[in-house]
Amino acid sequence: MTILRPLLAFLALVALPAAAQAADKLVLAFGDSLTAGYRLPPGKGFAPQLEAALRASGVPARVHNAGVSGDTTAQGKARLVWVLASLKAKPDLVIVELGANDMLRGLDPARAEANLDAILAELSKRRIRILLAGMVAAPNLGPDYAKRFNPIYRRLADKYRAGLYPFFLQGIVGDRSLHIGDAIHPNEQGVKVIVRGILPHVRRQLAGR
């Protein structure tokens, strides 16, 4: 018995980190270069900064980076099932951030909407909470394109009763000090602004509200 007690105590201590990790919420950041951390040092992209912000605000969470630079909505749709299968657990929340590359290439907004619809349908079928991160058409594409593209996100969020963060780049557009130099992708400080804006929405979704 004297030998058994220390052994049990040791096993309990070893199990503590695993138990703590199991209690963490799992957030999947599913998107393009804006979530991938394009040209940013390790730990400075959207996923690690959001994870740090969640933990600092008292929400134990892991944010898995599933952003792929250059991805369109069609490419996101094609890899979604594979990404979900590669995870060791069902996500508590998926942040869907796609559509910027469709817009920048002037692709048909109807196709982008259909692809996003398929992504949200798959997540809804699996009973996974969704936070849809919206995008806004660049002015040079003209008012007709914006009229077709911009309402996509609100329409789909309403359809699937998903959370909506209307504009992922809110707060950084037009401020060169928050970009890496291409006037598109955020730098470390730009990501910090994005995380600060989206954090309440992520917390609300994780709390089931």
Side-chain angles (χ1 to χ4, degrees):
M1 191 67 175
T2 54
I3 296 176
L4 187 57
R5 279 179 181 167
L7 178 60
L8 290 173
F10 172 75
L11 290 174
L13 285 172
V14 170
L16 276 174
Q21 188 175 23
D24 285 355
K25 298 286 188 180
L26 175 59
V27 178
L28 176 66
F30 185 74
D32 49 39
S33 56
L34 297 176
T35 45
Y38 179 72
R39 285 177 56 186
L40 291 177
K44 304 302 182 182
F46 175 73
Q49 286 207 44
L50 177 60
E51 179 174 313
L54 283 167
R55 291 185 178 277
S57 69
V59 180
R62 292 180 294 123
V63 182
H64 181 85
N65 186 355
V68 174
S69 294
D71 254 16
T72 61
T73 56
Q75 291 164 320
K77 172 188 168 185
R79 69 184 173 91
L80 175 64
V81 172
W82 178 86
V83 170
L84 293 173
S86 71
L87 297 174
K88 294 181 180 179
K90 176 180 171 181
D92 296 283
L93 175 67
V94 175
I95 301 171
V96 179
E97 179 278 306
L98 286 164
N101 289 309
D102 298 66
M103 179 269 295
L104 290 172
R105 298 174 193 181
L107 301 181
D108 184 2
R111 293 307 310 156
E113 182 168 8
N115 293 329
L116 286 169
D117 192 307
I119 290 171
L120 269 58
E122 181 65 30
L123 294 172
S124 296
K125 184 178 73 176
R126 295 170 183 249
R127 299 185 182 279
I128 298 173
R129 283 190 170 273
I130 304 163
L131 177 58
L132 184 59
M135 185 51 56
V136 174
N140 64 296
L141 291 167
D144 290 340
Y145 190 91
K147 186 177 179 180
R148 297 172 59 212
F149 182 85
N150 292 352
I152 287 173
Y153 298 91
R154 171 65 65 184
R155 198 154 52 225
L156 289 174
D158 289 345
K159 178 178 179 179
Y160 289 97
R161 297 182 180 179
L164 176 66
Y165 186 60
F167 185 31
F168 189 70
L169 297 177
Q170 181 68 40
I172 75 165
V173 173
D175 188 339
R176 290 191 173 275
S177 70
L178 299 176
H179 291 82
I180 60 173
D182 60 5
I184 297 174
H185 296 93
N187 58 22
E188 179 184 346
Q189 291 304 313
V191 172
K192 189 175 294 186
V193 172
I194 292 170
V195 167
R196 187 163 61 239
I198 204 171
L199 180 64
H201 298 261
V202 175
R203 285 173 52 88
R204 190 155 50 242
Q205 288 298 313
L206 288 174
R209 299 197 298 271

